[in-house]
Amino acid sequence: MNQIILGIKRDIINYITHLSIYDYISYIWVLLLFILVLTLSIIISNKRPILSIFLIFFNFVFLVFSPLFIDILMQKSVKKSKVIIEKQEFLHYGNSFIVEGKVKNLGKIDFKECKIKVKIYKFSKNFLKKYFYLLKPLRKKTIWIKDLIPKKGQKGFRVVIDKINYKKDLNISVKAECY
């Protein structure tokens, strides 16, 4: 449990340290909209108290969930990246698995660094088993690419995951978060 909390803390600190100008602009817009709706709800509180309470509640819910939506929006537009897997194979002399590929910058800014997350999990045609395997992968590994990836550019990566004793069909999930 302590490792989960440390992982969440590390992800939040990492996110805050890699904010771009687009992130700051969107957070300023959220803050201004929050103040505007709060002011509006205070003004109409005498004439329509139920509407005012609803607006205040909606406003705080919006304030709490807006960082999640901003991050999703930024990852799909400004910080958009694509992972291309070129090679995936087991090593013949050990229990290691190699994933090679490229990260392509499709965003509107140059990436200074990228975090690549690789998860390996069992394959299943059963929906429930597939969902369970997604929640509990066999192995996962995170690497960082600390090189500059310009707009429309790409950079190769190689991930070696050790101690995989499962030789049957595997699914691989490779995601990139670039800053």
Side-chain angles (χ1 to χ4, degrees):
M1 185 68 171
N2 195 19
Q3 290 180 348
I4 294 171
I5 294 171
L6 288 175
I8 292 171
K9 180 182 174 184
R10 185 177 50 235
D11 287 343
I12 290 172
I13 291 171
N14 186 31
Y15 177 74
I16 290 172
T17 58
H18 291 99
L19 290 176
S20 69
I21 188 71
Y22 297 104
D23 293 309
Y24 287 118
I25 291 171
S26 58
Y27 282 117
I28 289 171
W29 272 103
V30 166
L31 187 63
L32 289 175
L33 187 63
F34 174 77
I35 292 170
L36 179 73
V37 172
L38 190 63
T39 306
L40 177 69
S41 62
I42 291 172
I43 290 172
I44 66 168
S45 66
N46 287 336
K47 293 182 181 181
R48 299 188 185 247
I50 295 174
L51 179 63
S52 176
I53 291 171
F54 176 74
L55 282 175
I56 290 172
F57 174 75
F58 173 74
N59 203 17
F60 280 104
V61 169
F62 173 74
L63 187 65
V64 168
F65 288 106
S66 62
L68 176 67
F69 294 127
I70 288 172
D71 184 44
I72 291 170
L73 182 68
M74 291 295 157
Q75 291 294 334
K76 291 188 178 204
S77 60
V78 175
K79 300 176 185 177
K80 187 174 184 178
S81 62
K82 182 179 180 182
V83 176
I84 302 165
I85 299 174
E86 296 176 334
K87 183 177 162 184
Q88 56 188 11
E89 67 179 350
F90 277 103
L91 292 179
H92 298 291
Y93 56 85
N95 292 333
S96 297
F97 191 76
I98 295 179
V99 178
E100 292 182 3
K102 294 180 183 175
V103 176
K104 197 171 193 179
N105 184 352
L106 303 175
K108 297 179 182 175
I109 59 173
D110 295 337
F111 296 150
K112 296 178 181 82
E113 56 187 41
C114 287
K115 179 168 73 169
I116 312 249
K117 295 180 182 180
V118 178
K119 293 181 183 178
I120 297 177
Y121 49 93
K122 295 178 185 178
F123 175 77
S124 177
K125 292 182 181 178
N126 185 340
F127 175 74
L128 291 175
K129 281 186 178 181
K130 184 189 291 187
Y131 186 71
F132 176 72
Y133 293 151
L134 281 172
L135 293 175
K136 187 163 172 70
L138 291 172
R139 293 280 181 264
K140 55 185 174 179
K141 188 166 185 178
T142 302
I143 64 166
W144 285 87
I145 298 176
K146 301 267 185 181
D147 297 332
L148 181 72
I149 304 174
K151 296 179 216 172
K152 309 294 182 209
Q154 58 188 10
K155 184 73 176 174
F157 67 89
R158 182 179 183 177
V159 180
V160 179
I161 301 174
D162 296 323
K163 299 178 184 174
I164 295 186
N165 298 323
Y166 191 79
K167 298 286 184 180
K168 296 180 183 176
D169 289 337
L170 295 173
N171 281 341
I172 299 162
S173 169
V174 182
K175 295 183 181 177
E177 293 178 21
C178 297
Y179 308 102

